[in-house]
Amino acid sequence: MPKKVKPAGDGKEEGPVPCKQVKVEAAGGPSPLNLDSPSGLFESLISPIKTETFFKEFWEQKPLLIQRDDPVLATYYRSLFRLSDLKSLCSRGMYYGRDVNVCRCVNGKKKILNKDGKVHFLQLRKDFDQKRATIQFHQPQRFKVFILQLEGEKHWRLYHPTVPLAREYSLEAEDRIGRPAHEFTLKPGDLLYFPRGTIHQADTPSGLAHSTHVTISTYQSSSWGDFLLDTISGLVFDTAKADVELRAGIPRQLLLQVETTAVATRKLSGFLRMLADRLEGTKELLSADMKKDFAMNRLPPYYLGDGVELSTPGGQLPGLDSTVRLQFRDHVVLTVGPDQDPSDETREKMVYIYHSLKNRRETHMMGNEETESHGLRFPLSHIDALKQIWNSSAISVKDLKLTTDEEKQSLVTSWPYVLTEVHRRKNSKLLNVPEGDKNHTS
């Protein structure tokens, strides 16, 4: 069995973390989920397991089952969703395929029962009640998975992976997977985690009207292999500038060969060793896409109000006598890469800053929606000043490592709204920085 954890009471693990900001359930009781920050939410999801314990003992290693047998804790995750929410969700305008999949298992295979166009509650409920269909919101989950049981029960069987931490989603034949390594039933308030590649089957026990759970997938395309592919292009770009061998042409007709020649293999091996040596002595890894993709596809900061403060410019521009501080640090990334301006033939390196403050929750991870990146770009000469802002709790604009006062002021006034907090001396009022010179916007 995966390790079972009982909430509180044994003196070894503590109960749910305190909530600084709580979400109120329809029944009026507070949710134990901490919505204060991403780390706070994760800690409350896996409570009583500590975050350090989870990543040391379970992450990418083995399944974890947390059972909350106390009836008081059965509603632990219910503030996230319940079947009674279905009607109101349909009234907001959902579409088959884009928002919802209706499916059922027929002869061991998944059969899609989607209609065309907009989802209507009565039809959805009919499929659910009469056809015993499963309703899936958004995407099928193919990655590291957390299952939060909300209502009813779900019977699970986990099998040893045929390919540990598999990169691709696949269906395995019954005769290949063998007997279940773990088998159990999730009840309301329970949590299940299993690493990517774990083969699993789930069904609702007979006699139950329905079962509702939330599936959370994470760490998509975030392996060391992905990171190597992402950084190697930037490393080659820099090395080729300094090494004439990398700029020399490949042998004529090499691309027409059915197999790579021994000469080409030796040449490539030598280049890889040279790149490895160069990598050992650098601190500037050029991320081509991963950082940008992370910011583009991340949810915006959780906000209890209407979100106007996160998207509406206002306030005064900072000056040389201001002190600035980076806000929403977990939602902003900095990277260095070749200039993406197609009109620039020199392809000089630039500093790019991407953020998720304007990302839309309603289209998050929809797949078929075009995703827009939000951010700025700066000359490479600004890198040290930007790192000062990144690495300081607060810094005076006058102390930024730029040559002129004009450059310093231009840097801090070109940030998008609320990326920095600004305090003028002798004035503690919080100012939102409005979007500045569009020449800086990528």
Side-chain angles (χ1 to χ4, degrees), residues 169-183:
Y169 176 79
S170 63
L171 295 174
E172 297 288 352
E174 291 280 350
D175 57 352
R176 286 199 62 198
I177 62 178
R179 298 176 60 84
H182 312 290
E183 189 168 3

Side-chain angles (χ1 to χ4, degrees), residues 95-162:
Y95 289 83
Y96 287 104
R98 189 195 73 175
D99 303 300
V100 170
N101 272 335
V102 179
C103 58
R104 60 175 300 185
C105 185
V106 178
N107 298 324
K109 295 184 179 181
K110 179 179 177 179
K111 182 178 180 181
I112 302 296
L113 306 177
N114 289 350
K115 307 294 189 295
D116 292 327
K118 195 172 183 179
V119 175
H120 296 282
F121 170 71
L122 292 179
Q123 180 63 54
L124 198 63
R125 188 70 203 225
K126 181 180 178 181
D127 289 339
F128 182 75
D129 292 334
Q130 297 181 10
K131 297 182 180 179
R132 308 295 293 172
T134 295
I135 302 173
Q136 297 178 333
F137 292 93
H138 279 190
Q139 301 173 321
Q141 310 302 330
R142 303 177 179 179
F143 309 96
K144 299 178 182 68
V145 169
F146 295 84
I147 306 294
L148 315 179
Q149 188 68 27
L150 308 181
E151 301 172 313
E153 298 179 4
K154 184 71 78 173
H155 176 230
W156 285 84
R157 295 175 294 278
L158 304 184
Y159 301 82
H160 292 300
T162 53

Side-chain angles (χ1 to χ4, degrees), residues 333-404:
V333 297
L334 182 152
T335 185
V336 176
D339 192 347
Q340 298 171 10
D341 185 351
S343 65
D344 186 357
E345 296 182 359
T346 61
R347 298 279 287 169
E348 294 295 329
K349 286 194 291 185
M350 301 288 289
V351 183
Y352 290 91
I353 295 174
Y354 300 103
H355 65 85
S356 63
L357 301 187
K358 294 185 184 179
N359 290 0
R360 300 170 59 197
R361 287 182 174 272
E362 60 269 27
T363 58
H364 174 66
M365 298 297 289
M366 294 293 287
N368 56 350
E369 294 286 337
E370 190 169 328
T371 305
E372 179 184 0
S373 62
H374 303 287
L376 305 96
R377 67 173 187 169
F378 296 96
L380 190 61
S381 59
H382 285 48
I383 185 66
D384 289 336
L386 289 167
K387 286 182 178 180
Q388 283 180 283
I389 296 175
W390 238 263
N391 297 327
S392 303
S393 57
I395 186 169
S396 169
V397 175
K398 285 185 176 180
D399 293 335
L400 293 175
K401 294 180 179 178
L402 289 168
T403 305
T404 67

Side-chain angles (χ1 to χ4, degrees), residues 41-60:
L41 175 60
F42 182 72
E43 288 172 2
S44 62
L45 287 175
I46 66 170
S47 176
I49 289 290
K50 296 297 185 184
T51 300
E52 297 80 4
T53 302
F54 174 79
F55 283 105
K56 181 179 179 180
E57 298 183 12
F58 298 98
W59 178 251
E60 294 192 333

Side-chain angles (χ1 to χ4, degrees), residues 145-425:
V145 169
F146 295 84
I147 306 294
L148 315 179
Q149 188 68 27
L150 308 181
E151 301 172 313
E153 298 179 4
K154 184 71 78 173
H155 176 230
W156 285 84
R157 295 175 294 278
L158 304 184
Y159 301 82
H160 292 300
T162 53
V163 180
L165 300 180
R167 288 179 54 86
E168 302 294 335
Y169 176 79
S170 63
L171 295 174
E172 297 288 352
E174 291 280 350
D175 57 352
R176 286 199 62 198
I177 62 178
R179 298 176 60 84
H182 312 290
E183 189 168 3
F184 44 83
T185 298
L186 291 186
K187 298 179 179 181
D190 292 351
L191 174 144
L192 169 65
Y193 160 78
F194 50 84
R196 184 176 72 250
T198 302
I199 301 170
H200 54 279
Q201 297 173 331
D203 59 80
T204 302
S206 59
L208 291 182
H210 72 277
S211 174
T212 309
H213 68 264
V214 169
T215 302
I216 302 174
S217 67
T218 184
Y219 245 54
Q220 305 172 13
S221 302
S222 297
S223 69
W224 278 111
D226 295 309
F227 190 58
L228 179 61
L229 286 172
D230 187 59
T231 56
I232 197 72
S233 60
L235 187 62
V236 172
F237 178 84
D238 277 355
T239 307
K241 282 188 172 183
D243 194 297
V244 67
E245 280 195 87
L246 279 175
R247 302 197 300 272
I250 60 176
R252 288 178 292 107
Q253 298 192 344
L254 175 64
L255 301 180
L256 299 177
Q257 302 296 321
V258 176
E259 296 180 346
T260 305
T261 65
V263 172
T265 300
R266 285 196 299 272
K267 196 74 170 177
L268 288 173
S269 297
F271 286 144
L272 289 174
R273 282 189 287 270
M274 178 178 64
L275 291 173
D277 291 340
R278 184 181 178 92
L279 186 60
E280 291 285 345
T282 183
K283 294 182 179 179
E284 301 293 343
L285 283 180
L286 304 187
S287 175
D289 297 304
M290 286 183 73
K291 284 190 172 184
K292 180 179 179 181
D293 181 74
F294 177 74
M296 287 175 58
N297 293 292
R298 175 153 204 195
L299 282 169
Y302 176 75
Y303 188 71
L304 289 177
D306 58 12
V308 172
E309 286 86 345
L310 296 183
S311 59
T312 303
Q316 295 177 245
L317 291 174
L320 290 173
D321 59 344
S322 300
T323 298
V324 296
R325 178 170 73 86
L326 185 65
Q327 286 195 116
F328 305 110
R329 188 178 298 273
D330 290 342
H331 292 266
V332 188
V333 297
L334 182 152
T335 185
V336 176
D339 192 347
Q340 298 171 10
D341 185 351
S343 65
D344 186 357
E345 296 182 359
T346 61
R347 298 279 287 169
E348 294 295 329
K349 286 194 291 185
M350 301 288 289
V351 183
Y352 290 91
I353 295 174
Y354 300 103
H355 65 85
S356 63
L357 301 187
K358 294 185 184 179
N359 290 0
R360 300 170 59 197
R361 287 182 174 272
E362 60 269 27
T363 58
H364 174 66
M365 298 297 289
M366 294 293 287
N368 56 350
E369 294 286 337
E370 190 169 328
T371 305
E372 179 184 0
S373 62
H374 303 287
L376 305 96
R377 67 173 187 169
F378 296 96
L380 190 61
S381 59
H382 285 48
I383 185 66
D384 289 336
L386 289 167
K387 286 182 178 180
Q388 283 180 283
I389 296 175
W390 238 263
N391 297 327
S392 303
S393 57
I395 186 169
S396 169
V397 175
K398 285 185 176 180
D399 293 335
L400 293 175
K401 294 180 179 178
L402 289 168
T403 305
T404 67
D405 289 346
E406 288 75 13
E407 286 180 314
K408 296 175 184 179
Q409 183 148 359
S410 175
L411 172 61
V412 297
T413 56
S414 62
W415 285 66
Y417 3 91
V418 300
L419 276 182
T420 55
E421 281 181 342
V422 181
H423 297 270
R424 289 190 182 276
R425 292 176 184 174

